[in-house]
Each structure stands twice: as C-alpha cells, then as structure tokens.
C-alpha cells in the first residue's frame, strides 16, 4: 500500500501522550482557521462517528477489563476505518481542513510500542483500515508522562497503564517525528498555550490550500 496525501483540503493531526493539551490546541487551531474563512472539521479518534462512540466506550471503559492485545488493535482500527471513510475523506474532498485529535500514530505508539506488539504488523492493520491516508502534518505535543498523567483524578483503561508503558509511547511518537521531519512538528507541551498555538499556526499557514474564489 502506498502512502496517500489528499489532493484537496488539508489533513492535520495532533498527537501526544495523556494530558499534553491536544484538545485545547485543536480548538485554538480550529478557531484561527475559521476566523480566516476556512471550513474546519474538528474530530478525534477514537469515537467521532456513531460506531466509533461505541468502540470508544469499549476500549476506554475500565468496566471492559482486559482485552487481548490484537482485539484492542482491531477495535481501534475499526474506529479509524469508519472515521476516515465517513467523515475525514468526504470533508477533504469538499476542500475542508480536517483537524484530528489522534490518528494512526496513536495505534503505532500505544498498541505497537506500548503493548509491545510487532510495530510493522500493527502498522499494516492500521494503514489498511485507513487506506493509508496520511496527514499533511502531525503536531506532536511532547510531555513527560508523569506530568501528563498527574492531571487525571480517574484513569481509563489506557491511562491506567504503567509509567513504563507511557514512556514507550512517548519515545515512539518522538521516533516517528524524527524519521519524517517534513510531516511532523514536535513541540514541548510545557510551553504556554499561546506560544504553542502560535508555533502550530506558523507551521500550518504555508500548507493551507488557496481559498477558492467566491
Ligand atoms: P484521548 O483521551 O486523547 O481522546 O485518547 C483516547 C485514548 O485512546 C488515549 O489513551 C490513547 C488511546 N488510543 C490508542 O491506544 N490507540 C489509538 O489508535 C488511539 C486513536 C487512541
């Protein structure tokens, strides 16, 4: 399967460990793009389709208990397949900017590095599920896991994993970014919210497709 970047619209992704501030940055990016007259679809994985919401409950609820690692990969992959086909691709085809809070890299980091499954096998599943659609840019908000996890009073199935698990997740995000600097921006999540937002805007601005004449 060959990597595919949408030829219309702009596909942006925010990634990072727990409590790194992705959703805040996703909202700020959306607000800035909308103020510039862009159609923006702000979305997230898992859970932003009706089926995805059910999957999110299963994979994250502590009531689910343990799942076989492969089951977990397939559930996240099913969420992605539904998300890409029913929401992401139609929005990109309309020329919208899609900002997703997590995508394939989360599967590679959490199920691959975190659960210590062979990353190439996990990647084949996740790429197949998404038709190998790749973001034009992924912003990694990097944070020491102990700092991010400290923000939660209650932890879900994934947040409740060990510090070592979350350390492997962090290293995996950093390694993916280092291997492909053209498509990644790594930012220190401890910086101020506005400072991070400005750095994201500076990187996104030149990627924006021309606005179609009214
Ligand atoms: P969120 O709390 O940032 O919405 O993320 C949901 C949780 O699901 C988070 O702990 C990361 C995890 N996750 C995976 O393990 N694999 C995936 O493919 C995705 C998208 C998220």
């Amino acid at each position: 399967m060959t990597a595919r970047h949408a030829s219309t619209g702009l596909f942006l992704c925010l990634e990072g460990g727990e409590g790194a501030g992705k959703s805040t940055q996703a909202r700020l990016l959306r607000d800035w793009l909308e103020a510039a007259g862009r159609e923006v679809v702000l979305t997230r994985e898992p859970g932003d389709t009706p089926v995805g919401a059910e999957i999110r409950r299963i994979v994250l609820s502590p009531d689910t208990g343990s799942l076989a690692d492969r089951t977990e990969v397939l559930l996240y992959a099913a969420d992605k397949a539904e998300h890409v086909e029913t929401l992401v691709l139609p929005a990109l085809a309309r020329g919208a900017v899609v900002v997703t809070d997590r995508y394939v890299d989360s599967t590679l980091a959490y199920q691959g590095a975190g659960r210590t499954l062979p990353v190439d096998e996990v990647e084949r599943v996740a790429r197949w599920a998404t038709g190998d659609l790749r973001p034009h840019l992924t912003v990694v908000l990097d944070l020491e896991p102990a700092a991010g996890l400290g923000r939660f009073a209650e932890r879900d199935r994934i947040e409740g994993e060990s510090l070592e698990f979350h350390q492997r997740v962090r290293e995996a995000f950093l390694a993916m970014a280092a291997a492909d600097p053209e498509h990644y921006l790594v930012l220190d999540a401890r910086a101020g919210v506005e400072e991070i937002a400005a750095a994201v805007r500076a990187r996104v601005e030149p990627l924006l497709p021309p606005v179609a004449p009214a």
Side-chain angles (χ1 to χ4, degrees):
M1 198 173 289
T2 45
R4 192 157 64 104
H5 290 98
S7 56
T8 55
L10 187 66
F11 188 23
L12 304 172
C13 174
L14 284 143
E15 290 282 13
E18 315 297 328
K22 289 178 289 87
S23 5
T24 304
Q25 289 302 328
R27 280 195 300 274
L28 289 173
L29 183 56
R30 187 235 358 237
D31 294 349
W32 173 68
L33 289 163
E34 282 185 348
R38 303 277 173 171
E39 183 198 348
V40 184
V41 175
L42 181 56
T43 183
R44 69 169 182 179
E45 290 187 357
D48 237 348
T49 60
V51 162
E54 303 265 338
I55 295 173
R56 183 177 177 95
R57 187 187 54 72
I58 296 169
V59 285
L60 294 184
S61 170
D63 294 343
T64 299
S66 69
L67 282 172
D69 289 346
R70 285 165 194 248
T71 309
E72 192 175 272
V73 170
L74 290 167
L75 286 167
Y76 277 111
D79 170 73
K80 278 174 213 313
E82 190 68 12
H83 187 219
V84 167
E85 180 138 341
T86 68
L87 204 151
V88 176
L89 284 176
L92 292 171
R94 292 196 300 275
V97 182
V98 176
V99 180
T100 185
D101 185 339
R102 298 197 182 280
Y103 189 54
V104 167
D105 289 0
S106 277
T107 310
L108 306 183
Y110 284 85
Q111 281 66 53
R115 299 282 185 223
T116 63
L117 288 170
V119 177
D120 57 332
E121 292 180 12
V122 173
E123 180 161 17
R124 278 209 298 280
V125 174
R127 298 288 183 213
W128 181 79
T130 54
D132 209 3
L133 179 74
R134 311 267 180 135
H136 295 96
L137 178 71
T138 297
V139 177
V140 175
L141 295 180
D142 179 50
L143 186 63
E144 170 62 44
L149 290 164
R151 287 181 43 182
F152 301 105
E154 283 178 22
R155 296 188 180 180
D156 65 31
R157 270 187 75 252
I158 303 275
E159 289 155 4
E161 285 298 328
S162 67
L163 211 49
E164 292 72 30
F165 174 100
H166 290 285
Q167 197 63 47
R168 289 195 295 277
V169 169
R170 179 191 195 190
E171 296 306 325
F173 281 130
L174 292 177
M176 286 185 264
D180 187 9
E182 192 193 334
H183 294 110
Y184 286 84
L185 172 66
V186 179
L187 296 171
D188 185 339
R190 292 168 308 174
V193 168
E194 252 320 304
E195 190 185 329
I196 295 172
V200 173
R201 290 197 293 267
R203 182 68 188 267
V204 167
E205 190 149 35
L207 302 177
L208 288 168
V211 183

